[in-house]
Amino acid sequence: MADMQFDLVVIGSGPGGYVAAIRAAQLGLKTACVEMRDTLGGTCLNIGCIPSKALLTASEKYEEAKHGLGGFGVKVAGVELDLPAMMAHKTKVVQSNVEGVQFLFKKNKVARFHGRGVIDAPGVVKVVKPDGSAETLTTKNILIATGSDVMPLPGVTIDEKRIVSSTGALDLEKVPGRLVVIGGGVIGLELGSVWQRLGAQVTVVEFLDRILPGMDAEVSKHAQRILGKQGLSFKLGTKVTGARMNAESVTLTLEPAKGGGETTLEADIVLVAIGRRPYTEGLGLEQAGVALDNRGRIVTDHHFRTNVPGIWAIGDVIAGPMLAHKAEEEGVVAAEVMAGQSGHINYDAIPGVVYTWPEIAAVGRTEEQLKEAGIAYKVGKFPFTANGRARAMQVTEGFVKVLADATTDKLLGAHIIGANAGDMIEELALALEFGASSEDVARTSHAHPTLTEAIKEACLAVDGRPIHI
Ligand SMILES: Cc1cc2nc3c(=O)[nH]c(=O)nc-3n(C[C@H](O)[C@H](O)[C@H](O)COP(=O)(O)OP(=O)(O)OC[C@H]3O[C@@H](n4cnc5c(N)ncnc54)[C@H](O)[C@@H]3O)c2cc1C
């Protein structure tokens, strides 16, 4: 029988859990990871970040081949969609990623247990295997990294066939004629974009009067305009109150968010994307006495200790943005603190990216947040229309916007909407992490011609001295 005593048992193998397990093993802790899914990698690798980006890239290529190459003098005829092949690409990408985690576990000697992890008591994790049998692990530390699950919408029951969550929307067998996306957040816009590019008529219904809540308002307004030009339509300030299944379609009932008369909207497929909630079902938290907040998230201190000694938690199951890289950072810090080291996370420098076309990326504060906090700031902006490389690439849509402290010039926030924004934001995340000023970035040489020159110019614009506009 295998040795069942560990220094650390991680429950959940998403980006939080698997990264924590590897880091702990690197630090010499005898580590196990319990995962109930057949494959490792959690939401992110199996049904989240990775498959969605595989389909976003594939659908972008289809769209480009169909409409985007003529302007470069490349004539393409007879472009056709092969949806099964596109889905096969997605499956292959997921498979290679989840197998990658398995390889890393082997390499780092992390023991993998397949089954549902239940905390029997501090220091004791029962693994209930798919066949119903169980085995018990004893451990000095338990790290809960069980992630999140789809937030349900009352009156709109998900069947993953015609009313789908993001999981079903990543796996549709044919392009829907009419897709209604409930929720104008990141996941709704990304998956709405995929199916719109492939030919669906997409309507996004959003309760608030804007899309991408939480992002800089100027940027999300601009994003709505661009996505609208691409063909997505928006019903803002609208709530979905119910869904009726017909033989071939779904009828949604809508009401103005502020109250008023009911209307209906027909769809072939409905995607419910109103958010995610922490997943703690069947974990045994109550019997272990682990405290939750009023939104069902596990409460931790800044080193990820729960109120019960020896039980820690990270990732989507605790407070903070539900992002894979946030979960990873927390996993690393939790493992290092368990191993007797110190660690911290600067939550002000965690970037967020929306992988639509163009991409939308942000780090640090928005104008609205700075106003609310009463912090005086300066804005520097630079449009991609004035960037040489963007013209050469025919990607002149969007801009870079930086926000700097009015007195000290320290960078407080940065927002990019434009091609490759998700890669470019990293320069500004590093700048924020290092406490840089806009002058520091403006004085840094940026290779010519690159899109990143727009970042330098936006930083010059904070002081009213951009060169190319
Ligand atoms: C469609 C979609 C697209 C996304 N795109 C992005 C993106 O581009 N970038 C980004 O940063 N984030 C993205 N996210 C969010 C990202 O997936 C999450 O923030 C991230 O996966 C959280 O990591 P985690 O380790 O906390 O939990 P998860 O990845 O959710 O992993 C938790 C794991 O724990 C397992 N588990 C739960 N309970 C138990 C138990 N009792 N016993 C054993 N195992 C258990 C689950 O099976 C799961 O595998 C996306 C999410 C979705 C749904």
Side-chain angles (χ1 to χ4, degrees):
M1 198 175 104
D3 186 356
M4 296 296 193
Q5 271 197 318
F6 294 92
D7 295 317
L8 169 63
V9 171
V10 181
I11 306 179
S13 72
Y18 87 72
V19 168
I22 291 171
R23 184 71 189 114
Q26 283 177 345
L27 290 164
L29 301 187
K30 193 178 165 207
T31 305
C33 182
V34 183
E35 170 58 59
M36 62 188 185
R37 210 184 279 278
D38 290 345
T39 49
L40 300 171
T43 303
C44 177
L45 272 59
N46 289 280
I47 50 164
C49 327
I50 295 297
S52 60
K53 266 80 255 179
L55 288 185
L56 277 155
T57 305
S59 60
E60 221 169 88
K61 293 209 179 289
Y62 173 68
E63 169 78 21
E64 192 175 22
K66 243 182 139 180
H67 304 294
L69 295 178
F72 291 102
V74 180
K75 282 192 175 176
V76 185
V79 176
E80 275 180 53
L81 173 64
D82 181 347
L83 189 58
M86 200 176 270
M87 290 295 174
H89 155 70
K90 178 205 70 177
T91 305
K92 202 166 139 199
V93 173
V94 167
Q95 197 178 342
S96 66
N97 277 276
V98 300
E99 284 173 5
V101 177
Q102 201 171 325
F103 163 80
L104 292 172
F105 272 11
K106 271 205 186 113
K107 180 181 162 207
N108 288 283
K109 300 191 174 49
V110 174
R112 190 247 155 126
F113 290 86
H114 186 192
R116 176 181 284 275
V118 184
I119 302 173
D120 259 359
V124 185
V125 175
K126 187 166 76 189
V127 183
V128 183
K129 297 191 215 171
D131 66 7
S133 65
E135 54 193 341
T136 300
L137 316 179
T138 55
T139 177
K140 290 185 190 139
N141 298 287
I142 296 169
L143 177 64
I144 302 169
T146 50
S148 60
D149 199 5
V150 173
M151 179 96 76
L153 177 63
V156 186
T157 309
I158 293 172
D159 63 1
E160 296 296 11
K161 289 192 176 76
R162 273 187 285 156
I163 302 184
V164 298
S165 70
S166 54
T167 307
L170 288 166
D171 233 3
L172 299 180
E173 279 169 6
K174 62 175 198 181
V175 179
R178 297 158 301 176
L179 172 69
V180 173
V181 179
I182 309 178
V186 181
I187 293 175
L189 295 183
E190 288 187 358
L191 294 175
S193 290
V194 166
W195 292 107
Q196 187 272 329
R197 290 170 194 160
L198 300 184
Q201 184 194 320
V202 178
T203 307
V204 178
V205 183
E206 166 59 51
F207 182 82
L208 299 174
D209 58 5
R210 53 170 290 189
I211 60 167
L212 297 172
M215 294 204 93
D216 191 88
E218 183 185 11
V219 173
S220 60
K221 207 177 266 175
H222 198 80
Q224 188 185 334
R225 206 165 55 234
I226 299 175
L227 293 172
K229 271 200 286 182
Q230 290 170 7
L232 271 84
S233 52
F234 294 94
K235 282 187 184 297
L236 304 183
T238 304
K239 79 176 164 199
V240 177
T241 53
R244 194 180 64 238
M245 286 284 187
N246 312 313
E248 296 285 321
S249 65
V250 183
T251 305
L252 293 173
T253 46
L254 314 178
E255 267 177 31
K258 291 183 183 135
E262 196 175 271
T263 52
T264 58
L265 183 62
E266 295 294 311
D268 299 301
I269 299 284
V270 174
L271 163 58
V272 180
I274 58 165
R276 297 182 61 81
R277 59 180 182 185
Y279 186 79
T280 54
E281 228 173 274
L283 245 183
L285 293 187
E286 218 165 283
Q287 72 199 29
V290 175
L292 303 181
D293 69 12
N294 58 0
R295 289 165 64 180
R297 301 174 298 195
I298 296 175
V299 179
T300 68
D301 66 10
H302 65 283
H303 277 153
F304 312 108
R305 291 183 181 91
T306 69
N307 61 316
V308 179
I311 302 184
W312 313 61
I314 54 163
D316 278 10
V317 81
I318 70 168
M322 288 187 167
L323 292 170
H325 44 288
K326 175 256 192 193
E328 287 185 35
E329 298 301 332
E330 291 178 343
V332 168
V333 168
E336 290 178 349
V337 173
M338 271 177 225
Q341 300 187 353
S342 59
H344 89 287
I345 293 171
N346 176 4
Y347 285 96
D348 283 338
I350 293 188
V353 180
V354 189
Y355 296 84
T356 46
W357 178 262
E359 290 179 350
I360 307 157
V363 64
R365 314 248 211 129
T366 63
E367 275 203 67
E368 294 71 41
Q369 287 166 339
L370 292 174
K371 279 186 192 135
E372 201 183 314
I375 298 170
Y377 62 93
K378 283 186 175 176
V379 182
K381 254 175 81 176
F382 191 80
F384 286 108
T385 43
N387 174 278
R389 185 71 187 281
R391 287 195 200 121
M393 293 166 69
Q394 296 191 1
V395 289
T396 51
E397 201 82 76
F399 54 84
V400 177
K401 171 175 173 178
V402 295
L403 306 171
D405 188 287
T407 316
T408 64
D409 191 37
K410 188 178 174 191
L411 282 169
L412 301 173
H415 307 270
I416 307 178
I417 176 163
N420 303 356
D423 292 305
M424 284 196 287
I425 200 69
E426 221 36 61
E427 172 183 354
L428 290 156
L430 189 69
L432 259 74
E433 184 67 43
F434 277 60
S437 62
S438 75
E439 184 71 14
D440 288 329
V441 177
R443 294 266 171 203
T444 303
S445 177
H446 286 67
H448 175 76
T450 60
L451 298 175
T452 65
E453 287 171 286
I455 295 177
K456 178 184 171 100
E457 292 275 4
C459 287
L460 283 166
V462 170
D463 189 38
R465 54 183 223 274
I467 301 289
H468 291 94
I469 198 162

